[in-house]
């Protein structure tokens, strides 16, 4: 790991919008004495339907805005940007440590998967790009891997519709034919939630699919990876605990939708600074 | 109407993405001997969840790219941009004629509405901005007007899910409690589809809600308004019929999703030029 040397700097976290707040929340829980600076590129969300070139360009601008403010590590809390732009960011901002969510999520899924394999649920561009599928196969070359785009889930999560008859129906259509239960006994029993929005559906999916299906998200394991790396390199802080929020558009919507991903509390999102990047 | 003078120039049409192709298709049907140039700002779609300032900035850049190529009139085939940026565009590009979709749609709804009123179905920002509601009340000051955001419908349309059990469920939730049938006899009997994506649901909505509900979209009436203005000012062409397509990102997705809005044919979208604006 290549790092800059000031443990007192915040950890920078960026996402195309509010979904990355699920990763921030996991980081805050695991690293309660760290400062964070979160940037949501809400003016240009979603990244998930855009081309790789455009995602790389946007990710470099977003990361650059955080680096300019001073950070000791960068977490790309956006699956699409993690899948597409991580190498470009690590190269551009070296020696800063850059962490994504794809590798930790894939590692966690590999660790629990059985012979039935893993289904990755994500945005159109994350699935089409194949980064999760490749990361899973690097971890376990004989694994059965299926990718399934779930664009409706993104909109559903942003509406805060986490538990309703309609959201259940949309969730079930998303996993139809690719889960062990109720459709097929030969389908993968591990679901990897490859989009930052999807952890909000974790409980509903478990309820709908039963205990025979394991639901994995990247936020927890990504946070553990960052925590371990900071400790290893003597960059952990014991004095922080503040988070600064930046958004490139629509502060009111950021707060309202963001509360869904932060677990319902608007208080922590009271101050969001509008920035142009 | 203020116009530039060359009838041989194409009509410029822009939208945040592919939804505006429903308006283009209506224009092509009513003006088969005109040339068109269509720009989809796919790198930054959707506009519908972004702030007014950002939408105005993006709309000026998109319109500017068309004006630079030479057009005889500009059609803003995006409800969000029509609702937010029409005055700014008319001012910036005067004496070019600039047409939106909000006023024609509102006029068509006013013309058929009864005492039960009109429900506007649109994106979050179109409803929050209130442009349709104001336009309806200008046309008929005592009209009962309801606005309802339907963000899931946008994703659904882009998936091409126009007729399925799930799409029916999503459509019914969108109109629940605000339509005459089946929920309430005192609800508005006129539905105004205030998003360019929504004409693809026209038949499904009519089937679900029955003949007692009138479903109006802006594309047809906007096209009629443009046709009448061109004729009135001697700017109609009898020699054209070609359409040039531009997109700011993701040509393959533009073609695939665009076919949904153009009525299923990929042929007319065979050549899409990628532009940076």
């Amino acid at each position: 790991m290549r790092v800059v040397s000031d443990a007192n700097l915040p950890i920078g976290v960026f996402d195309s919008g509010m979904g990355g707040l699920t990763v921030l929340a996991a980081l805050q829980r695991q690293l309660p004495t760290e400062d964070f600076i979160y940037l949501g590129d809400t003016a240009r969300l979603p990244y998930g339907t855009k081309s790789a070139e455009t995602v790389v360009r946007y990710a470099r601008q977003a990361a650059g805005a955080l680096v300019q403010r001073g950070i000791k590590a960068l977490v790309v809390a956006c699956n699409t940007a993690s899948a597409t732009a991580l190498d470009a960011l690590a190269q551009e901002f070296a020696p800063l440590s850059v962490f994504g969510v794809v590798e930790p999520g894939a590692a966690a899924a590999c660790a629990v998967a059985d012979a039935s394999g893993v289904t990755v649920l994500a945005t159109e561009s994350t699935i089409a790009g194949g980064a999760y599928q490749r990361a899973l196969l690097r971890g376990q070359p004989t694994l059965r891997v299926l990718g399934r785009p779930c664009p409706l889930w993104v909109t559903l999560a942003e509406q805060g519709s986490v538990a309703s008859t309609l959201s259940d129906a949309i969730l079930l259509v998303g996993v139809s034919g690719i889960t062990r239960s109720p459709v097929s006994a030969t389908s993968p029993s591990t679901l990897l939630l490859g989009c930052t929005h999807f952890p909000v559906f974790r409980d509903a999916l478990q309820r709908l699919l039963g205990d025979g299906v394991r639901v994995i998200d990247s936020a927890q394991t990504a946070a553990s990876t960052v925590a371990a790396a900071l400790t290893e390199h003597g960059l952990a802080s014991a004095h922080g605990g503040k988070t600064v929020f930046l958004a490139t558009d629509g502060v009111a919507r950021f707060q309202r939708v963001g509360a869904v991903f932060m677990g319902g509390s608007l208080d922590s999102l009271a101050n969001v600074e509008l920035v142009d990047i």
Side-chain angles (χ1 to χ4, degrees), chain A:
Chain A
M1 192 178 90
R2 297 168 299 184
V3 291
V4 294
S5 55
D6 187 350
N8 293 318
L9 287 172
I11 298 166
V13 182
F14 91 84
D15 179 46
S16 58
M18 292 71 90
L21 293 170
T22 59
V23 178
L24 177 70
L27 285 162
Q28 287 174 328
R29 277 194 300 272
Q30 291 194 35
L31 299 164
T33 58
E34 294 289 345
D35 288 334
F36 295 94
I37 176 166
Y38 181 96
L39 169 64
D41 189 12
T42 41
R44 303 184 295 195
L45 70 79
Y47 286 4
T49 52
K50 300 193 168 91
S51 69
E53 296 71 30
T54 296
V55 170
V56 170
R57 182 157 52 95
Y58 289 176
R60 293 171 69 168
Q61 292 168 349
L66 289 172
V67 169
Q68 272 192 338
R69 289 181 176 236
I71 52 175
K72 64 180 174 186
L74 175 68
V75 180
V76 183
C78 168
N79 282 276
T80 303
S82 288
T84 312
L86 208 62
D87 291 345
L89 295 177
Q91 200 173 332
E92 177 161 358
F93 299 106
L96 186 76
S97 288
V98 179
F99 301 91
V101 289
V102 172
E103 292 288 342
C110 277
V112 302
D114 61 23
S116 65
V118 176
T119 300
V120 185
L121 304 162
T123 62
E124 286 179 56
S125 72
T126 298
I127 295 300
Y132 266 104
Q133 296 95 312
R134 287 192 300 275
L136 286 163
L137 291 173
R138 274 196 301 276
Q140 204 170 309
T142 59
L143 194 68
R144 283 186 69 213
V145 176
L146 289 172
R148 169 74 68 103
C150 299
L152 275 174
W153 291 19
V154 177
T155 316
L156 194 67
E158 294 196 347
Q159 283 193 277
S161 304
V162 174
S164 68
T165 310
L166 182 68
S167 66
D168 282 359
I170 292 175
L171 292 175
L172 280 173
V173 166
V175 296
S176 66
I178 54 168
T179 55
R180 179 171 294 253
S181 163
V183 177
S184 161
T186 59
S187 297
S189 63
T190 301
L191 286 188
L192 173 53
L193 305 181
C195 172
T196 50
H197 287 52
F198 296 173
V200 300
F201 300 126
R202 208 191 156 100
D203 293 347
L205 284 168
Q206 203 70 71
R207 170 173 53 78
L208 291 167
L209 300 173
D211 291 339
V213 172
R214 285 174 291 270
V215 182
I216 304 292
D217 75 75
S218 302
Q220 300 303 331
T221 42
S224 305
T225 304
V226 174
L230 288 180
T231 304
E232 186 188 339
H233 292 82
L235 277 175
S237 163
H239 312 294
K242 295 188 301 296
T243 300
V244 171
F245 293 95
L246 314 175
T248 55
D249 191 41
V251 165
R253 186 170 192 272
F254 183 93
Q255 291 171 318
R256 178 168 51 79
V257 178
V260 176
F261 299 114
M262 293 291 282
S265 163
L266 268 175
D267 295 348
S268 57
L269 292 166
N271 295 302
V272 180
E273 183 186 336
L274 191 64
V275 294
D276 196 4
I277 62 173

